Amino acid sequence: MIELALGCARAIFTDRHGGTSVAPYDSMNLAGHVGDDPAAVEENSRLLARRLGLVDPSLWVRPMHVHGTDILEVTASSGPVEADGSVTTVPGLPLVALGADCAPIALANDDAVGAVHAGWRGALGGVVETGVAALRRLGTGPVRAAIGPCICVRHYEFGTDALAPLVARFGARAAGRTDDGAPAFDLPFALRRALEDAGVDEITDTRCCTAESADYFSYRRDHRTGRQAVIVVKVPVSSRR
Ligand SMILES: [Zn+2]
């Protein structure tokens, strides 16, 4: 698990360790839509809530990701809604974005926090820029972002046809090669580029490759597998260091 202080936020990037799910979801799977036992997913969430001192998972904001660009502005958990991210100004309200090769991204400025799910489709559609704009509508101050564990270019083979629109949007450097020399998409590069284009002031990259590290779920590597998450929480002013 990686925890970062980001503007007014606490950003926690989970990995696959410390949960109760059995193979192939072992063990800290946080996704209910991938075939895992729903009771195990809820128990995993409760374990995390206890370890991290967060409110009960029934109160977390956990939209269902559809590789789109909708970002919810929330003041409370809203039940099962399709979206690829959320933003809030409510202290202590955990926002969750999932991934297993796609990147979970944390956003924060002085007043608001956000969590975004971004893979190639969302990045191309503009989910990063939409997330940053939603954050700016809710608060002021420098925007900080952290890119969570996601698949790196060396493991993300892509057809040249599929790469063309990504190169058109993010530039030639978005196309690279895998370890085997096949054409590949550089998702972390594209996400950084999208964050820069959106005027984000400070970008942190956790630089963990999900396909490479057994500490993370990877859809490309394992197909049937779980999801890790970023959990972003606004820290109450009184408890900031
Ligand atoms: Zn990799």
Side-chain angles (χ1 to χ4, degrees):
M1 207 150 61
I2 300 168
E3 177 160 351
L4 304 172
L6 205 70
C8 67
R10 213 180 143 191
I12 299 122
F13 294 96
T14 69
D15 54 37
R16 65 185 300 167
H17 302 300
T20 61
S21 295
V22 297
Y25 309 105
D26 49 317
S27 62
M28 185 53 83
N29 169 41
L30 294 173
H33 67 284
V34 294
D36 193 4
D37 176 3
V41 177
E42 283 316 295
E43 180 57 19
N44 292 342
S45 307
R46 280 194 295 272
L47 284 169
L48 273 182
R50 275 203 295 279
R51 277 174 209 158
L52 298 168
L54 305 175
V55 296
D56 188 84
S58 62
L59 303 171
W60 295 5
V61 177
R62 293 190 277 186
M64 292 179 292
H65 304 328
V66 291
H67 299 277
T69 58
D70 285 350
I71 303 289
L72 309 171
E73 288 188 17
V74 296
T75 53
S77 173
S78 48
V81 182
E82 288 189 352
D84 282 81
S86 56
V87 291
T88 193
T89 57
V90 178
L93 176 64
L95 309 180
V96 179
L98 302 171
D101 296 338
C102 288
I105 299 176
L107 299 172
N109 56 21
D110 290 346
D111 312 297
V113 305
V116 173
H117 157 261
W120 72 266
R121 205 183 296 267
L124 189 59
V127 73
V128 171
E129 296 88 331
T130 307
V132 172
L135 186 85
R136 284 215 176 91
R137 276 196 295 277
L138 293 184
T140 57
V143 176
R144 297 181 170 88
I147 303 169
C150 61
I151 192 165
C152 86
V153 66
R154 291 169 42 224
H155 298 99
Y156 204 15
E157 184 172 343
F158 243 72
T160 42
D161 287 355
L163 272 173
L166 293 161
V167 167
R169 164 63 186 88
F170 299 109
R173 277 191 56 200
R177 296 275 164 187
T178 65
D179 282 346
D180 302 329
F185 175 49
D186 193 334
L187 177 63
F189 171 82
L191 296 176
R192 175 175 281 272
R193 187 66 190 269
L195 289 164
E196 287 169 356
D197 288 351
V200 169
D201 299 277
E202 192 181 301
I203 302 168
T204 304
D205 188 337
T206 57
R207 293 185 184 279
C208 300
C209 173
T210 46
E212 198 169 327
S213 169
D215 294 332
Y216 295 99
F217 298 110
S218 169
Y219 181 80
R220 265 290 169 112
R221 184 187 62 216
D222 298 329
H223 301 287
R224 257 186 82 210
T225 191
R227 299 289 183 271
Q228 52 261 342
V230 64
I231 306 173
V232 188
V233 196
K234 182 178 174 181
V235 178
V237 175
S238 58
S239 39
R240 278 180 217 162
R241 277 169 285 176

